[in-house]
Amino acid sequence: MSQDKNKKRVSARERIQEAQRREQQAAKRRQRIVVAVSAVAVLALAGGVAVAVNSASAKDDKNSASASAQLVVPANVSGDNGTVITYGKADAPHTMEIYEDFRCPVCKHFEAANGETVKKLTEDGRIKVNFHLASFLDKNLGGKGSRTALAAAGAALNEGVDKFKAFHDVLYANQPDEREDGFGDVNHILELAGQVPGLKTDAFVKAVTDKTYAPWAAKVADAFNDSGVTGTPTVKVDGKTVNLFVGNSVATPEQFTAQVKQAAGLQ
């Protein structure tokens, strides 16, 4: 009887070891991080993990591929070196900081749950939103989707802050699986831009096609890497971190709004 139990234990251990070996091989093929990011996304949906983890190597990624091109900064930027995108009234007394990567699956979940709430919170002029955008998932997952989407977002920003916000929302609503580099296809990016009324001007299409804002996107990503934020999405209000998950589920718009107002000292 005890021998049977020992055999079962050995068999179970062997199965675990084999599963671990296969997982390690798969992780290497996907540049080690995709499994972790996917797991975080699933856990976030199921019960309380709030961020997609930024890899330790992300801060070392300075997006040097675009460094040699001419730096063109889009209109309507803010912050140090024009790397911040401000939505809402620039002189609003309170500031919400949102840190995101367009390929981050948990960011998509946050945007689906509370993206519209973020917009509503700016409407009375007391809160503005500063977007800090990243591209670390390109290095972690392979591809260029984060950088391509970020550069296209710069082209949208050049057309207007409202155009940027609408394009930002379309990108998250149509985010591909993080293991796929769907945003790396410029033609696909332009197709998605067609969902934003008035965005696809000749200037916008040329800027996206010519990658005019790729060097700027690299600077924006560098600023994120230097921010000290270790995961996406991260939301802070007047320097205080907002919990994006409450208990075992994502914060409802009411819960998110209450946290934001409490952090800002608003009624």
Side-chain angles (χ1 to χ4, degrees), residues 239-255:
K240 304 177 186 73
T241 300
V242 174
N243 294 320
L244 304 184
F245 291 83
V246 177
N248 292 324
S249 60
V250 65
T252 65
E254 293 76 17
Q255 290 169 330

Side-chain angles (χ1 to χ4, degrees), residues 86-105:
T86 299
Y87 180 80
K89 292 186 177 180
D91 60 352
H94 302 283
T95 303
M96 182 189 300
E97 311 279 351
I98 299 181
Y99 298 82
E100 296 180 318
D101 185 313
F102 282 120
R103 289 181 74 180
C104 166

Side-chain angles (χ1 to χ4, degrees), residues 19-41:
Q20 290 173 336
R21 185 185 65 79
R22 290 197 302 268
E23 186 68 18
Q24 289 170 354
Q25 290 177 340
K28 287 179 182 179
R29 286 196 298 270
R30 297 196 297 263
Q31 299 195 13
R32 295 190 301 244
I33 198 68
V34 63
V35 173
V37 175
S38 298
V40 169

Side-chain angles (χ1 to χ4, degrees), residues 2 4 7 13-14 32-33 60 64 66 82 87 104 126 143 155 158 175 177 180 191 199 221 224 253 267:
S2 60
D4 291 340
K7 287 181 180 179
R13 184 166 61 249
E14 288 175 346
R32 295 190 301 244
I33 198 68
D60 297 327
S64 58
S66 299
Y87 180 80
C104 166
R126 293 186 292 176
N158 197 61
Q175 185 192 77
D177 185 285
E180 300 174 3
E191 287 177 4
L199 176 59
F224 174 93
Q267 297 299 321

Side-chain angles (χ1 to χ4, degrees), residues 58-62 99 219-229:
K59 285 197 68 173
D60 297 327
D61 179 14
K62 296 300 182 180
Y99 298 82
K219 296 293 184 184
V220 172
D222 285 349
F224 174 93
N225 293 342
D226 292 336
S227 70
V229 171

Side-chain angles (χ1 to χ4, degrees), residues 46-160:
V49 176
V51 297
V53 178
N54 185 354
S55 76
S57 62
K59 285 197 68 173
D60 297 327
D61 179 14
K62 296 300 182 180
N63 296 290
S64 58
S66 299
S68 60
Q70 181 182 0
L71 175 64
V72 180
V73 178
N76 306 305
V77 294
S78 60
D80 293 340
N81 301 314
T83 58
V84 178
I85 301 165
T86 299
Y87 180 80
K89 292 186 177 180
D91 60 352
H94 302 283
T95 303
M96 182 189 300
E97 311 279 351
I98 299 181
Y99 298 82
E100 296 180 318
D101 185 313
F102 282 120
R103 289 181 74 180
C104 166
V106 189
C107 295
K108 176 181 179 178
H109 191 59
F110 165 69
E111 289 293 339
N114 283 304
E116 190 62 27
T117 304
V118 168
K119 183 177 179 181
K120 288 179 179 178
L121 284 166
T122 68
E123 290 177 351
D124 66 5
R126 293 186 292 176
I127 297 176
K128 65 178 178 290
V129 178
N130 284 344
F131 287 98
H132 305 268
L133 298 173
S135 67
F136 68 86
L137 282 174
D138 282 351
K139 183 171 184 177
N140 294 344
L141 302 175
K144 56 185 179 180
S146 292
R147 287 170 291 168
T148 303
L150 179 48
L157 181 62
N158 197 61
E159 298 289 323

